[in-house]
């Protein structure tokens, strides 16, 4: 409800406050907003897409309005899990601040501020806000961008920043606590509560305590101001530019006091449903939002809430297996597979969206199977315990995944912003499937097993990926750290298969598809193919001999140039690989978009001509264990 009456007179009670009078007496007694910035919903004439008003109005009768700098805009993207007290939430504040190359036009700084901090006469108070980061990232050279702050940043007061890839809370000059990974896909609620001399922290209404001395320090607000989206003063004549400029969405920034100390301050946050940790109550059954198939922490029967979202724990059913049907789309904070006797299988037509507000997506302490598609709302960690296997027989898409733990994660296919393997093995288990990601990393001691699959790394580093393949190949044993293939043909004594790596522009795939994935310049292609397939077209022909014959006299290296065993030089070993595989090629290893054929008689003549060059090459190194490993 808009406060149109505010234009006429500050003395007229806003209509939204009359509606707020319907709040329960208990709620009014528990929390008393001192400044509440709804960032659009109280601003006369506000509409999504328009430049925001100057000022944006304080929801309370204290009239602590915020002054605009630049041209932030209103947005219709608002948190779905906002509390009933803000159920009329139709708008949020979109701030776009970019720091980049000087030849790119920079937008004027976008932020709001109020000269003077917002203070409480009570020793119990709270600061909260909803935030959603920009997918374009943050640009401040300090690495900090201000979401909402009450006080003087990095001197006194309390507030929230995005620091790198995380949302953090800061108290005064020195204390900082990581609250949650920053997300451009989902809204996150951040809160700080001080009750007398005790401080506490919350993410989506869930307590994140810290009893250290720094965490319990008193904020102090002397000389401060209230800021949203950046630190500066648009009314100042100072030449100092504003700093810590945030890019993204901010909504419902509120500073409140508590008349008395309360054991459950989160009950008064602007959150409709606080996530719960729910245990699956039986063995086989249906997972939906209507049946009380769960047990809450008190042991009471509970139905699932998608809005919060809740955390799901599967374990202790006492059966040797449990099949659970996912009846419809389910949104989950975190999934834990626990227990020692039950192997769970989640299947059905409903997709599972993993929100992972704290960055913890799945903890597989027991082997389990997921046969439903998985969508990743945030970057998250999937931890699989030693000796256990988590099998996902469906596509995984969205944000990034870190595979952690010493166990095995098997995924049919993925299309993610990043893939990182920091422990154990990640297996690409689809049947000759092609996956893609924007970033790839495999830590020492970990493995990415491509099997017979293919991978596109958009904007990847061909040298770094080749190094991971070289490490995993381990001179043909395919048992090293890094990127491997566990296909038996890769270690066979004849007609060896291997993993080839090339830049899209070298292999001629720019503007085409590779396994159904659109490819652009700068992308790196990783393909399970025959040794000698330099250009990754799933065949060995004159084009591949041209590459090795060109690469040899120039002293080049790399798969595309003919270094098929990744040892850094092109010599007789590489010619042996291509010459052995040329006559033996039969069934192709072609991703979609590549044409695979058996060699034609004319191509054999090319091979014969190329064999003449071998006499001038250094002798091939013999490896008795793998005489022709690719």
């Amino acid at each position: 409800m808009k406060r149109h009456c505010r234009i006429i007179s500050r003395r007229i009670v806003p209509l939204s406050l009359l509606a707020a009078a319907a709040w329960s007496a208990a709620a009014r007694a528990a929390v008393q907003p001192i400044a509440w910035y709804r960032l659009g919903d109280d601003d006369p004439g506000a509409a999504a897409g328009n430049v925001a008003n100057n000022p944006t109005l304080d929801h309370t009768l204290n009239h602590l309005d915020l002054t605009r700098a630049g041209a932030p805009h209103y947005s219709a993207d608002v948190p779905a899990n906002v509390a009933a007290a803000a159920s009329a939430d139709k708008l949020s504040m979109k701030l776009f601040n970019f720091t980049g190359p000087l030849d790119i036009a920079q937008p004027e700084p976008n932020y709001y501020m109020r000269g003077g901090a917002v203070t409480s006469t009570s020793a119990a108070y709270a600061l909260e806000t909803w935030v959603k980061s920009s997918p374009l990232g943050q640009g401040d050279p300090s690495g900090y961008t201000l979401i909402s702050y009450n006080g003087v940043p990095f001197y006194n007061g309390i507030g929230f920043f995005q620091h790198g890839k995380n949302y953090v809370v800061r108290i005064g000059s020195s204390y900082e606590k990581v609250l949650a990974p920053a997300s451009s896909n989902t809204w996150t609620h951040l809160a700080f509560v001080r009750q007398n001399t005790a401080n506490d922290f919350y993410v989506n209404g869930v307590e994140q305590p810290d009893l250290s001395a720094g965490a319990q320090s008193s904020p102090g607000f002397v000389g401060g101001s209230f800021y949203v989206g950046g630190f500066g003063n648009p009314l100042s004549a100072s030449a100092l530019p504003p700093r810590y400029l945030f890019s993204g969405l901010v909504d419902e920034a509120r500073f409140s006091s508590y008349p008395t100390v309360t054991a459950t301050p989160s009950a008064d946050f602007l959150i409709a449903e606080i996530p719960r940790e729910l245990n699956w109550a039986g063995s086989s059954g249906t997972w939906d939002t209507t049946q009380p198939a769960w047990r809450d922490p008190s042991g009471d029967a509970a139905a699932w809430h998608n809005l919060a979202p809740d955390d799901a724990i599967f374990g202790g059913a006492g059966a040797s297996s449990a099949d659970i049907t996912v009846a419809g789309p389910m949104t989950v904070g975190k999934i834990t597979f626990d227990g020692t006797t039950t192997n769970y299988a989640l299947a059905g037509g409903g997709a599972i969206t993993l929100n992972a507000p704290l960055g913890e997506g799945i903890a597989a302490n027991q082997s389990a199977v997921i046969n439903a598609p998985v969508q990743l709302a945030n970057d998250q960690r999937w931890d699989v315990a030693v000796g256990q296997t988590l099998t996902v027989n469906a596509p995984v898409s969205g944000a990034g995944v870190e595979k952690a733990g010493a166990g095995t994660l098997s995924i049919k296919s993925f299309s993610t912003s990043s893939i990182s393997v920091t422990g154990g093995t990640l297996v690409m288990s689809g049947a000759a499937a092609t996956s893609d990601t924007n970033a790839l990393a495999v830590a020492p001691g970990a493995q990415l097993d491509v099997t017979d699959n293919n991978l596109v790394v958009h904007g990847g580093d061909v040298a770094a990926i080749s190094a991971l393949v070289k490490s995993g190949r381990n001179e043909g044993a395919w048992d090293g750290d890094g990127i491997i293939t566990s296909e038996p043909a890769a270690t066979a004594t004849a007609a060896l298969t291997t993993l080839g790596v090339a830049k899209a522009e070298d292999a001629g795939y720019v503007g085409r598809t590779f396994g159904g994935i659109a490819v652009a310049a700068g992308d790196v292609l990783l393909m399970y193919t025959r040794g000698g397939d330099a250009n990754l077209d799933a065949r060995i022909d004159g084009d591949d001999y041209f590459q090795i014959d060109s690469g040899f006299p120039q002293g080049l290296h790399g798969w595309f140039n003919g270094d098929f065993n990744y040892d850094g030089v092109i010599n007789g070993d590489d010619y042996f690989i291509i010459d052995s595989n040329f006559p033996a090629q039969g069934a192709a290893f072609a991703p979609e978009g590549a044409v695979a054929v058996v060699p034609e008689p004319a191509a054999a003549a090319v091979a014969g001509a190329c064999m003449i060059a071998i006499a001038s090459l250094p002798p091939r190194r013999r490896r008795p264990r793998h005489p022709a490993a690719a």
Side-chain angles (χ1 to χ4, degrees):
M1 184 178 295
K2 306 299 178 183
R3 301 189 320 178
H4 300 291
C5 57
R6 283 290 299 275
I7 298 178
I8 301 172
S9 172
R10 291 261 188 194
R11 298 177 183 177
I12 297 177
V13 177
L15 296 178
S16 57
L17 287 184
L18 293 176
W23 295 3
S24 68
R28 291 197 304 270
V31 63
Q32 297 175 349
I34 301 172
W36 183 355
Y37 304 111
R38 307 211 56 211
L39 300 176
D41 291 293
D42 291 332
D43 296 348
N50 288 354
V51 174
N53 289 8
N54 187 17
T56 187
L57 302 181
D58 174 14
H59 185 70
T60 78
L61 290 177
N62 295 320
H63 310 312
L64 304 178
D65 302 340
L66 297 179
T67 300
R68 186 190 72 199
H73 286 65
Y74 296 117
S75 171
D77 185 347
V78 297
N81 195 20
V82 75
S87 59
D89 191 7
K90 303 298 182 183
L91 296 171
S92 64
M93 192 65 67
K94 182 177 183 180
L95 303 130
F96 177 65
N97 294 290
F98 175 71
T99 302
L102 295 179
D103 58 346
I104 298 178
Q106 308 295 305
E108 58 182 331
N110 287 202
Y111 64 97
Y112 274 96
M113 66 85 62
R114 175 188 179 273
V118 179
T119 59
S120 170
T121 57
S122 169
Y125 52 84
L127 174 67
E128 60 180 309
T129 193
W130 284 93
V131 61
K132 187 177 185 180
S133 187
S134 169
L136 300 177
Q138 308 296 314
D140 194 278
S142 71
Y144 288 90
T145 52
L146 187 152
I147 300 166
S148 62
Y149 203 93
N150 191 18
V152 181
F154 298 95
Y155 178 70
N156 65 18
I158 179 73
F160 308 110
F161 287 84
Q162 181 170 336
H163 185 190
K165 294 184 177 182
N166 296 306
Y167 297 137
V168 303
V169 59
R170 286 195 60 90
I171 303 175
S173 62
S174 59
Y175 177 76
E176 178 175 310
K177 175 181 175 64
V178 173
L179 293 177
S183 173
S184 61
N185 300 304
T186 59
W187 283 90
T188 303
H189 183 272
L190 308 175
F192 163 85
V193 176
R194 181 172 177 82
Q195 300 196 80
N196 294 333
T197 59
N199 296 340
D200 212 347
F201 314 92
Y202 295 82
V203 175
N204 293 337
V206 178
E207 185 181 25
Q208 308 294 321
D210 185 347
L211 300 180
S212 67
Q216 298 303 314
S217 61
S218 177
F221 300 100
V222 175
S225 299
F226 198 101
Y227 302 94
V228 172
F231 172 56
N233 185 351
L235 304 179
S236 173
S238 170
L240 293 176
R243 303 180 62 188
Y244 317 127
L245 298 170
F246 177 72
S247 287
L249 299 168
V250 182
D251 202 12
E252 304 293 349
R254 188 173 76 165
F255 187 81
S256 307
S257 67
Y258 294 91
T260 59
V261 172
T262 173
T264 57
S266 59
D268 293 304
F269 292 164
L270 295 172
I271 304 176
E273 295 177 1
I274 294 176
R276 301 164 298 170
E277 198 173 75
L278 300 183
N279 285 268
W280 183 253
S283 53
S284 298
T286 299
W287 183 3
D288 59 23
T289 57
T290 62
Q291 301 185 53
W294 302 84
R295 294 287 183 267
D296 65 18
S298 301
D300 296 330
W304 186 263
H305 288 169
N306 267 339
L307 190 60
D310 295 323
D311 291 348
I313 301 176
F314 298 95
S320 59
S321 63
D323 296 325
I324 298 172
T325 300
V326 183
M330 292 291 120
T331 301
V332 192
K334 177 184 178 181
I335 296 177
T336 299
F337 295 104
D338 222 333
T340 57
T341 60
T342 305
N343 293 324
Y344 287 89
L346 310 183
I352 298 173
T353 297
L354 274 169
N355 186 286
L358 300 181
E360 300 173 356
I362 295 180
N365 302 318
Q366 177 75 11
S367 293
V369 176
I370 299 176
N371 293 321
V374 179
Q375 299 172 353
L376 310 175
N378 296 333
D379 291 345
Q380 53 197 260
R381 182 173 60 258
W382 291 15
D383 197 314
V384 185
V386 61
Q388 308 301 317
T389 299
L390 174 62
T391 303
V392 184
N393 293 319
V396 174
S397 61
V401 172
E402 175 196 347
K403 159 60 183 73
T408 299
L409 170 61
S410 176
I411 299 179
K412 178 181 179 180
S413 66
F414 54 81
S415 180
T416 62
S417 63
S418 65
I419 288 289
S420 173
V421 188
T422 58
T425 302
L426 170 57
V427 179
M428 298 171 62
S429 60
T434 301
S435 297
D436 71 310
T437 186
N438 295 334
L440 176 66
V442 184
Q447 293 178 324
L448 171 64
D449 185 357
V450 177
T451 64
D452 64 349
N453 285 235
N454 309 305
L455 178 63
V456 178
V457 182
H458 301 291
D461 184 334
V462 69
I465 294 173
S466 297
L468 288 172
V469 174
K470 175 183 178 180
S471 175
R473 182 180 178 276
N474 194 22
E475 298 189 352
W478 290 106
D479 59 1
D481 302 346
I483 300 176
I484 69 168
T485 175
S486 58
E487 292 296 301
T491 55
T493 57
L496 285 180
T497 58
T498 185
L499 298 177
V501 183
K503 292 189 291 186
E505 52 266 42
D506 289 340
Y509 278 97
V510 173
R512 299 167 56 194
T513 61
F514 182 81
I517 306 295
V519 173
D523 293 349
V524 175
L525 312 179
L526 174 63
M527 179 178 174
Y528 175 70
T529 187
R530 293 193 183 278
D533 178 18
N535 61 358
L536 303 183
D537 65 354
R539 59 184 178 184
I540 301 173
D541 57 15
D543 291 339
D544 304 300
Y545 275 101
F546 178 83
Q547 291 305 129
I548 190 172
D549 289 340
S550 300
F552 167 68
Q554 297 182 67
L556 302 178
H557 57 85
W559 172 272
F560 179 72
N561 295 309
D563 180 13
F564 301 128
N565 61 0
Y566 297 96
D567 65 355
V569 295
I570 300 171
N571 57 20
D573 287 349
D574 303 296
Y575 273 99
F576 180 81
I577 291 171
I578 191 172
D579 291 337
S580 298
N581 279 303
F582 171 74
Q585 63 184 324
F589 299 85
E592 180 183 335
V595 178
V597 297
V598 295
E600 299 176 356
V606 176
C610 293
M611 288 290 290
I612 299 174
I614 296 181
S616 64
L617 292 173
R620 179 171 57 86
R621 297 190 298 274
R622 302 286 181 181
R623 299 189 181 96
R625 185 170 54 144
H626 299 285

